[in-house]
Amino acid sequence: MSYSEWLTKIRGADKSSAIQGTVRKVHYSFPDGTEMAEEYSTETGCVLRRAWKLRSDLLRKDDWEIELGEPIPKALKNDHDGFALQEAATEPFLSKRVTRNCIEWRIRNLPYPLSTYTITCEGDARTITVRTSNKKYFKKIAVPEFQRCGFAPKVEDLMVKHQYNTLIIAYKKPAILVEMEKAVLAELQNVETVEYDNIQCGDLLKGLIG
């Protein structure tokens, strides 16, 4: 997907918007039947959370896939036994946030020193890969933002540090991504926004995004 294709997709979606406190919640319905939900900070304009509604042919039900923000629900429900399964608190856990200037990933529960990690960028795939010399951890991180604007990341532009058992990776937003984000925000200025409790979209996002 290219910059122009993503903007065309956003512009072609049916959109509804609501404000709750300092968070603006936007719901998109695309012509192909997929849906996207986003939360924006009204103070910074940064996206706080993004989720996609996907249909599972196997389970015959709709699921929400979290792209940005804390996973919801935090536990995986086992419908057969009636209880929830959750990853152990000691397992490595990847989270992502977007600021005005950077995209940042934090991988918690990684106690190894900084010299243990090798981090590479796959430009054509728009991914970042983390591996350890002790072979205890491997993760290929997709970067949808780069895929949408057609940007190939470079390893020399990564900022990496390790503290409190957490590996922190940051990438300064390229100019083309900043421009694309501004174009999307400009498009959203044309979407009528009401108070949270007054539209059905608000109820949907309240249940699915927090």
Side-chain angles (χ1 to χ4, degrees), residues 99-145:
T99 69
R100 286 179 176 174
N101 300 315
C102 294
I103 303 175
E104 182 184 281
W105 300 266
R106 291 174 178 255
I107 309 176
R108 296 178 173 85
N109 299 326
L110 284 181
Y112 322 115
L114 186 58
S115 59
T116 308
Y117 306 95
T118 298
I119 303 170
T120 58
C121 294
E122 293 73 42
D124 292 341
R126 277 74 175 177
T127 58
I128 296 170
T129 299
V130 181
R131 52 172 59 86
T132 58
S133 56
N134 60 14
K135 303 186 184 302
K136 296 290 187 179
Y137 185 80
F138 176 89
K139 181 70 174 180
K140 188 177 290 290
I141 304 170
V143 190
E145 294 88 349

Short mmCIF file of all heavy atoms in Angstrom, two decimals, residues 99-145:
data_model
loop_
_atom_site.label_atom_id
_atom_site.label_comp_id
_atom_site.label_asym_id
_atom_site.label_seq_id
_atom_site.Cartn_x
_atom_site.Cartn_y
_atom_site.Cartn_z
N THR A 99 4.35 8.72 19.61
CA THR A 99 4.43 10.07 20.11
C THR A 99 4.43 11.04 18.92
O THR A 99 4.33 10.61 17.77
CB THR A 99 5.70 10.29 20.95
OG1 THR A 99 6.85 10.23 20.10
CG2 THR A 99 5.83 9.20 22.02
N ARG A 100 4.58 12.31 19.19
CA ARG A 100 4.61 13.27 18.10
C ARG A 100 5.79 13.02 17.16
O ARG A 100 5.69 13.24 15.96
CB ARG A 100 4.70 14.70 18.66
CG ARG A 100 3.39 15.21 19.26
CD ARG A 100 3.57 16.61 19.82
NE ARG A 100 2.32 17.16 20.30
CZ ARG A 100 2.22 18.32 20.94
NH1 ARG A 100 3.31 19.04 21.17
NH2 ARG A 100 1.04 18.77 21.35
N ASN A 101 6.90 12.56 17.72
CA ASN A 101 8.13 12.46 16.94
C ASN A 101 8.58 11.04 16.63
O ASN A 101 9.36 10.84 15.70
CB ASN A 101 9.27 13.18 17.67
CG ASN A 101 8.97 14.66 17.88
OD1 ASN A 101 8.51 15.34 16.97
ND2 ASN A 101 9.23 15.15 19.08
N CYS A 102 8.12 10.05 17.41
CA CYS A 102 8.68 8.70 17.30
C CYS A 102 7.60 7.63 17.35
O CYS A 102 6.49 7.86 17.85
CB CYS A 102 9.66 8.43 18.45
SG CYS A 102 11.16 9.42 18.41
N ILE A 103 7.98 6.46 16.84
CA ILE A 103 7.27 5.22 17.14
C ILE A 103 8.17 4.46 18.10
O ILE A 103 9.37 4.33 17.86
CB ILE A 103 7.03 4.38 15.88
CG1 ILE A 103 6.24 5.18 14.83
CG2 ILE A 103 6.27 3.10 16.21
CD1 ILE A 103 6.07 4.46 13.51
N GLU A 104 7.61 4.00 19.20
CA GLU A 104 8.42 3.36 20.24
C GLU A 104 7.86 2.00 20.60
O GLU A 104 6.66 1.84 20.77
CB GLU A 104 8.45 4.25 21.49
CG GLU A 104 9.31 3.70 22.61
CD GLU A 104 9.23 4.57 23.86
OE1 GLU A 104 9.91 5.61 23.89
OE2 GLU A 104 8.48 4.21 24.78
N TRP A 105 8.76 1.02 20.70
CA TRP A 105 8.39 -0.32 21.14
C TRP A 105 9.12 -0.63 22.44
O TRP A 105 10.32 -0.31 22.59
CB TRP A 105 8.78 -1.37 20.10
CG TRP A 105 8.12 -1.19 18.77
CD1 TRP A 105 6.96 -1.77 18.33
CD2 TRP A 105 8.58 -0.39 17.68
NE1 TRP A 105 6.68 -1.38 17.05
CE2 TRP A 105 7.66 -0.53 16.62
CE3 TRP A 105 9.70 0.44 17.50
CZ2 TRP A 105 7.81 0.13 15.41
CZ3 TRP A 105 9.85 1.11 16.28
CH2 TRP A 105 8.92 0.95 15.25
N ARG A 106 8.44 -1.26 23.37
CA ARG A 106 9.04 -1.71 24.63
C ARG A 106 8.80 -3.21 24.77
O ARG A 106 7.64 -3.65 24.69
CB ARG A 106 8.45 -0.97 25.83
CG ARG A 106 8.85 0.50 25.88
CD ARG A 106 8.15 1.25 26.99
NE ARG A 106 8.59 2.65 27.02
CZ ARG A 106 9.42 3.15 27.92
NH1 ARG A 106 9.89 2.38 28.90
NH2 ARG A 106 9.79 4.42 27.86
N ILE A 107 9.87 -3.95 24.96
CA ILE A 107 9.75 -5.39 25.18
C ILE A 107 10.16 -5.65 26.62
O ILE A 107 11.34 -5.56 26.99
CB ILE A 107 10.64 -6.20 24.22
CG1 ILE A 107 10.39 -5.76 22.77
CG2 ILE A 107 10.34 -7.70 24.37
CD1 ILE A 107 11.28 -6.43 21.76
N ARG A 108 9.18 -5.93 27.46
CA ARG A 108 9.41 -6.13 28.88
C ARG A 108 9.81 -7.57 29.18
O ARG A 108 9.61 -8.46 28.37
CB ARG A 108 8.17 -5.72 29.67
CG ARG A 108 7.83 -4.24 29.56
CD ARG A 108 6.56 -3.88 30.31
NE ARG A 108 6.34 -2.44 30.32
CZ ARG A 108 5.73 -1.77 29.35
NH1 ARG A 108 5.28 -2.41 28.30
NH2 ARG A 108 5.57 -0.45 29.43
N ASN A 109 10.37 -7.77 30.35
CA ASN A 109 10.81 -9.09 30.81
C ASN A 109 11.95 -9.65 29.97
O ASN A 109 12.03 -10.85 29.73
CB ASN A 109 9.65 -10.08 30.85
CG ASN A 109 8.55 -9.64 31.80
OD1 ASN A 109 8.82 -9.04 32.84
ND2 ASN A 109 7.30 -9.93 31.47
N LEU A 110 12.84 -8.77 29.54
CA LEU A 110 14.07 -9.19 28.87
C LEU A 110 15.25 -8.74 29.74
O LEU A 110 15.66 -7.58 29.70
CB LEU A 110 14.18 -8.55 27.47
CG LEU A 110 13.30 -9.14 26.37
CD1 LEU A 110 13.54 -8.41 25.06
CD2 LEU A 110 13.55 -10.63 26.20
N PRO A 111 15.80 -9.64 30.54
CA PRO A 111 16.82 -9.25 31.52
C PRO A 111 18.24 -9.16 30.97
O PRO A 111 19.15 -8.74 31.68
CB PRO A 111 16.73 -10.38 32.55
CG PRO A 111 16.32 -11.58 31.75
CD PRO A 111 15.39 -11.05 30.69
N TYR A 112 18.44 -9.53 29.71
CA TYR A 112 19.80 -9.63 29.17
C TYR A 112 20.38 -8.24 28.89
O TYR A 112 19.65 -7.32 28.52
CB TYR A 112 19.78 -10.47 27.90
CG TYR A 112 18.84 -11.65 27.97
CD1 TYR A 112 17.73 -11.73 27.14
CD2 TYR A 112 19.03 -12.66 28.92
CE1 TYR A 112 16.84 -12.78 27.23
CE2 TYR A 112 18.15 -13.72 29.00
CZ TYR A 112 17.04 -13.78 28.16
OH TYR A 112 16.16 -14.81 28.26
N PRO A 113 21.69 -8.08 29.02
CA PRO A 113 22.32 -6.77 28.77
C PRO A 113 22.19 -6.35 27.31
O PRO A 113 21.95 -7.19 26.42
CB PRO A 113 23.78 -7.00 29.18
CG PRO A 113 23.98 -8.47 29.08
CD PRO A 113 22.68 -9.10 29.45
N LEU A 114 22.38 -5.06 27.07
CA LEU A 114 22.18 -4.51 25.73
C LEU A 114 23.03 -5.20 24.68
O LEU A 114 22.60 -5.37 23.53
CB LEU A 114 22.48 -3.01 25.76
CG LEU A 114 22.18 -2.22 24.48
CD1 LEU A 114 20.72 -2.35 24.08
CD2 LEU A 114 22.57 -0.76 24.66
N SER A 115 24.23 -5.61 25.05
CA SER A 115 25.14 -6.25 24.08
C SER A 115 24.62 -7.58 23.56
O SER A 115 25.11 -8.10 22.56
CB SER A 115 26.52 -6.46 24.72
OG SER A 115 26.42 -7.28 25.88
N THR A 116 23.60 -8.14 24.22
CA THR A 116 23.03 -9.43 23.81
C THR A 116 22.18 -9.32 22.56
O THR A 116 22.01 -10.29 21.82
CB THR A 116 22.17 -10.01 24.96
OG1 THR A 116 22.92 -10.01 26.17
CG2 THR A 116 21.70 -11.42 24.67
N TYR A 117 21.66 -8.13 22.27
CA TYR A 117 20.64 -7.98 21.24
C TYR A 117 21.24 -7.54 19.90
O TYR A 117 22.12 -6.69 19.84
CB TYR A 117 19.59 -6.95 21.68
CG TYR A 117 18.99 -7.26 23.03
CD1 TYR A 117 19.50 -6.67 24.18
CD2 TYR A 117 17.95 -8.17 23.16
CE1 TYR A 117 18.99 -6.97 25.43
CE2 TYR A 117 17.42 -8.47 24.40
CZ TYR A 117 17.94 -7.87 25.54
OH TYR A 117 17.43 -8.17 26.76
N THR A 118 20.70 -8.14 18.84
CA THR A 118 20.97 -7.68 17.48
C THR A 118 19.64 -7.25 16.89
O THR A 118 18.68 -8.02 16.88
CB THR A 118 21.58 -8.80 16.62
OG1 THR A 118 22.83 -9.20 17.20
CG2 THR A 118 21.82 -8.32 15.20
N ILE A 119 19.60 -6.02 16.40
CA ILE A 119 18.36 -5.47 15.86
C ILE A 119 18.60 -5.03 14.43
O ILE A 119 19.54 -4.28 14.14
CB ILE A 119 17.87 -4.29 16.72
CG1 ILE A 119 17.69 -4.75 18.17
CG2 ILE A 119 16.55 -3.73 16.18
CD1 ILE A 119 17.45 -3.64 19.15
N THR A 120 17.79 -5.53 13.53
CA THR A 120 17.95 -5.23 12.11
C THR A 120 16.63 -4.71 11.53
O THR A 120 15.56 -4.89 12.11
CB THR A 120 18.38 -6.48 11.33
OG1 THR A 120 17.40 -7.53 11.53
CG2 THR A 120 19.74 -6.98 11.80
N CYS A 121 16.74 -4.06 10.38
CA CYS A 121 15.57 -3.58 9.65
C CYS A 121 15.51 -4.28 8.29
O CYS A 121 16.53 -4.41 7.62
CB CYS A 121 15.65 -2.07 9.42
SG CYS A 121 15.54 -1.07 10.92
N GLU A 122 14.33 -4.72 7.93
CA GLU A 122 14.09 -5.30 6.61
C GLU A 122 13.30 -4.25 5.82
O GLU A 122 12.08 -4.16 5.96
CB GLU A 122 13.33 -6.62 6.72
CG GLU A 122 14.10 -7.75 7.38
CD GLU A 122 14.26 -7.57 8.88
OE1 GLU A 122 13.28 -7.17 9.54
OE2 GLU A 122 15.37 -7.81 9.40
N GLY A 123 14.02 -3.48 5.01
CA GLY A 123 13.42 -2.33 4.35
C GLY A 123 12.24 -2.68 3.47
O GLY A 123 11.18 -2.05 3.54
N ASP A 124 12.38 -3.68 2.60
CA ASP A 124 11.31 -4.03 1.68
C ASP A 124 10.08 -4.54 2.41
O ASP A 124 8.94 -4.30 1.98
CB ASP A 124 11.79 -5.08 0.68
CG ASP A 124 12.83 -4.52 -0.29
OD1 ASP A 124 12.90 -3.27 -0.41
OD2 ASP A 124 13.57 -5.31 -0.90
N ALA A 125 10.30 -5.27 3.51
CA ALA A 125 9.18 -5.83 4.28
C ALA A 125 8.62 -4.84 5.29
O ALA A 125 7.58 -5.09 5.89
CB ALA A 125 9.63 -7.10 5.00
N ARG A 126 9.32 -3.72 5.51
CA ARG A 126 8.90 -2.72 6.51
C ARG A 126 8.79 -3.35 7.88
O ARG A 126 7.81 -3.14 8.60
CB ARG A 126 7.58 -2.06 6.12
CG ARG A 126 7.70 -0.91 5.15
CD ARG A 126 7.98 -1.34 3.75
NE ARG A 126 7.97 -0.21 2.83
CZ ARG A 126 8.26 -0.30 1.54
NH1 ARG A 126 8.58 -1.47 1.01
NH2 ARG A 126 8.25 0.76 0.77
N THR A 127 9.78 -4.14 8.28
CA THR A 127 9.78 -4.80 9.57
C THR A 127 11.09 -4.54 10.31
O THR A 127 12.10 -4.17 9.71
CB THR A 127 9.59 -6.32 9.43
OG1 THR A 127 10.64 -6.85 8.60
CG2 THR A 127 8.24 -6.66 8.83
N ILE A 128 11.04 -4.74 11.62
CA ILE A 128 12.21 -4.65 12.50
C ILE A 128 12.33 -5.99 13.22
O ILE A 128 11.34 -6.51 13.74
CB ILE A 128 12.05 -3.50 13.51
CG1 ILE A 128 12.00 -2.15 12.77
CG2 ILE A 128 13.19 -3.50 14.52
CD1 ILE A 128 11.62 -0.97 13.65
N THR A 129 13.53 -6.55 13.24
CA THR A 129 13.73 -7.86 13.86
C THR A 129 14.67 -7.74 15.05
O THR A 129 15.71 -7.10 14.97
CB THR A 129 14.31 -8.87 12.84
OG1 THR A 129 13.40 -9.02 11.76
CG2 THR A 129 14.54 -10.23 13.50
N VAL A 130 14.26 -8.38 16.15
CA VAL A 130 15.07 -8.43 17.38
C VAL A 130 15.45 -9.87 17.64
O VAL A 130 14.60 -10.76 17.65
CB VAL A 130 14.28 -7.88 18.59
CG1 VAL A 130 15.13 -7.92 19.85
CG2 VAL A 130 13.79 -6.47 18.32
N ARG A 131 16.74 -10.11 17.86
CA ARG A 131 17.20 -11.45 18.21
C ARG A 131 18.30 -11.33 19.27
O ARG A 131 18.95 -10.29 19.38
CB ARG A 131 17.71 -12.22 16.99
CG ARG A 131 18.73 -11.46 16.17
CD ARG A 131 19.35 -12.34 15.07
NE ARG A 131 18.37 -12.87 14.15
CZ ARG A 131 17.92 -12.23 13.07
NH1 ARG A 131 18.35 -10.99 12.81
NH2 ARG A 131 17.06 -12.78 12.27
N THR A 132 18.47 -12.39 20.04
CA THR A 132 19.50 -12.39 21.08
C THR A 132 20.58 -13.40 20.75
O THR A 132 20.31 -14.44 20.15
CB THR A 132 18.90 -12.73 22.46
OG1 THR A 132 18.26 -14.00 22.40
CG2 THR A 132 17.89 -11.68 22.90
N SER A 133 21.80 -13.10 21.17
CA SER A 133 22.92 -14.00 20.90
C SER A 133 22.80 -15.30 21.67
O SER A 133 23.36 -16.33 21.27
CB SER A 133 24.25 -13.30 21.25
OG SER A 133 24.25 -12.87 22.60
N ASN A 134 22.05 -15.30 22.79
CA ASN A 134 21.85 -16.53 23.56
C ASN A 134 20.65 -17.34 23.07
O ASN A 134 20.28 -18.34 23.68
CB ASN A 134 21.70 -16.20 25.05
CG ASN A 134 20.52 -15.27 25.33
OD1 ASN A 134 19.65 -15.06 24.47
ND2 ASN A 134 20.49 -14.71 26.52
N LYS A 135 20.03 -16.85 21.97
CA LYS A 135 18.90 -17.55 21.34
C LYS A 135 17.69 -17.71 22.27
O LYS A 135 16.88 -18.63 22.12
CB LYS A 135 19.33 -18.92 20.79
CG LYS A 135 20.49 -18.85 19.80
CD LYS A 135 20.77 -20.19 19.17
CE LYS A 135 21.99 -20.14 18.26
NZ LYS A 135 21.85 -19.16 17.18
N LYS A 136 17.56 -16.80 23.21
CA LYS A 136 16.43 -16.84 24.13
C LYS A 136 15.23 -16.05 23.63
O LYS A 136 14.11 -16.20 24.14
CB LYS A 136 16.86 -16.28 25.50
CG LYS A 136 17.94 -17.09 26.21
CD LYS A 136 17.41 -18.43 26.68
CE LYS A 136 18.44 -19.16 27.53
NZ LYS A 136 17.94 -20.46 28.03
N TYR A 137 15.46 -15.18 22.64
CA TYR A 137 14.34 -14.35 22.18
C TYR A 137 14.53 -14.01 20.71
O TYR A 137 15.63 -13.71 20.24
CB TYR A 137 14.27 -13.06 23.00
CG TYR A 137 13.07 -12.20 22.64
CD1 TYR A 137 11.80 -12.49 23.13
CD2 TYR A 137 13.20 -11.10 21.79
CE1 TYR A 137 10.70 -11.71 22.80
CE2 TYR A 137 12.10 -10.32 21.45
CZ TYR A 137 10.86 -10.63 21.96
OH TYR A 137 9.76 -9.86 21.63
N PHE A 138 13.41 -14.06 19.97
CA PHE A 138 13.39 -13.65 18.57
C PHE A 138 12.02 -13.05 18.28
O PHE A 138 10.99 -13.63 18.64
CB PHE A 138 13.64 -14.84 17.63
CG PHE A 138 13.53 -14.49 16.17
CD1 PHE A 138 14.64 -14.04 15.47
CD2 PHE A 138 12.31 -14.60 15.51
CE1 PHE A 138 14.54 -13.70 14.13
CE2 PHE A 138 12.20 -14.27 14.16
CZ PHE A 138 13.33 -13.82 13.47
N LYS A 139 12.02 -11.89 17.63
CA LYS A 139 10.74 -11.25 17.31
C LYS A 139 10.88 -10.42 16.04
O LYS A 139 11.78 -9.60 15.92
CB LYS A 139 10.29 -10.34 18.46
CG LYS A 139 8.96 -9.65 18.24
CD LYS A 139 7.81 -10.64 18.30
CE LYS A 139 6.47 -9.93 18.22
NZ LYS A 139 5.33 -10.88 18.29
N LYS A 140 9.97 -10.63 15.09
CA LYS A 140 9.90 -9.81 13.89
C LYS A 140 8.72 -8.87 14.08
O LYS A 140 7.57 -9.30 14.22
CB LYS A 140 9.73 -10.66 12.65
CG LYS A 140 9.83 -9.87 11.34
CD LYS A 140 9.72 -10.78 10.13
CE LYS A 140 10.94 -11.67 9.97
NZ LYS A 140 12.14 -10.89 9.57
N ILE A 141 8.99 -7.58 14.09
CA ILE A 141 7.98 -6.57 14.39
C ILE A 141 7.52 -5.91 13.10
O ILE A 141 8.31 -5.24 12.41
CB ILE A 141 8.53 -5.51 15.35
CG1 ILE A 141 9.06 -6.15 16.64
CG2 ILE A 141 7.46 -4.47 15.68
CD1 ILE A 141 9.83 -5.19 17.53
N ALA A 142 6.28 -6.08 12.75
CA ALA A 142 5.71 -5.40 11.59
C ALA A 142 5.44 -3.94 11.96
O ALA A 142 5.09 -3.63 13.11
CB ALA A 142 4.42 -6.07 11.16
N VAL A 143 5.61 -3.05 10.99
CA VAL A 143 5.36 -1.62 11.22
C VAL A 143 4.34 -1.15 10.19
O VAL A 143 4.69 -0.70 9.10
CB VAL A 143 6.66 -0.80 11.12
CG1 VAL A 143 6.40 0.64 11.59
CG2 VAL A 143 7.79 -1.43 11.91
N PRO A 144 3.05 -1.29 10.51
CA PRO A 144 2.00 -0.93 9.54
C PRO A 144 2.11 0.51 9.05
O PRO A 144 1.79 0.80 7.89
CB PRO A 144 0.71 -1.17 10.31
CG PRO A 144 1.06 -2.17 11.36
CD PRO A 144 2.47 -1.85 11.75
N GLU A 145 2.55 1.41 9.93
CA GLU A 145 2.68 2.81 9.53
C GLU A 145 3.64 2.96 8.35
O GLU A 145 3.39 3.73 7.41
CB GLU A 145 3.18 3.67 10.70
CG GLU A 145 2.20 3.78 11.85
CD GLU A 145 2.34 2.65 12.87
OE1 GLU A 145 3.05 1.65 12.57
OE2 GLU A 145 1.74 2.76 13.95
#
